Amino acid sequence: MNLNSFSRHIRLILRGEVLLVQARLAFAMKRSAFLGFALLFAGLGFVFINMGLFVWLSPLWGPVWTPAGLGLINLALAAAALAIAAFVKPGPEMALAEEIRNMAADSIETEIRSAPLMGGLGGGSVAGLLLPAISTIIGAMAKRRKDKA
């Protein structure tokens, strides 16, 4: 493995990481914007529906139970909206970024196993020490990313 291919693979891993962060940020911004608009319009709609229901139910339920009942109904609807927002899945950009990172890591492992490091500086002993270290670092990065998601 020569230094040029090693640095190219490192750049690919870093680019995959940057793409992954960008995809996550874009997904979070998109989801937050849509969630904000949905909550704004739903809030306006619920205000008017609550006013109408309050006037309609006041003679039936009384002045105490009408606001309490409407408040409980609104809390149940808010919980349902939050549950739906929790199940939104990310797009294909994140999978593509993870695939680029994994391919670059696999290429580095293959080149380290097949050739001595940097044109013969220590040969198998350096590769024997470097390969587990790189594998551990890449595995820890992938695990940390899965824990955050």
Side-chain angles (χ1 to χ4, degrees), residues 111-117 121-134:
E111 287 197 26
I112 287 176
R113 287 182 199 271
S114 66
L117 186 65
L121 294 176
S125 64
V126 173
L129 293 174
L130 191 59
L131 182 61
I134 290 175

Side-chain angles (χ1 to χ4, degrees), residues 48-62 66-67 70:
F48 287 111
I49 289 172
N50 282 331
M51 288 180 355
L53 285 174
F54 184 82
V55 171
W56 183 60
L57 291 174
S58 283
L60 300 174
W61 288 0
T66 302
L70 289 176

Side-chain angles (χ1 to χ4, degrees), residues 31 35-36 38-39 42 46 74-88:
R31 184 171 71 175
L35 187 61
L39 289 175
F46 283 137
N74 287 333
L75 286 176
L77 292 173
L82 288 175
I84 290 171
F87 288 112
V88 173

Side-chain angles (χ1 to χ4, degrees), residues 17-35 88-94 97:
E17 294 294 324
V18 168
L19 287 173
L20 188 61
V21 168
Q22 287 175 343
R24 282 189 179 159
L25 181 62
F27 170 70
M29 293 294 291
K30 187 186 307 182
R31 184 171 71 175
S32 297
F34 283 118
L35 187 61
V88 173
K89 299 293 180 196
E93 299 90 10
M94 199 170 305

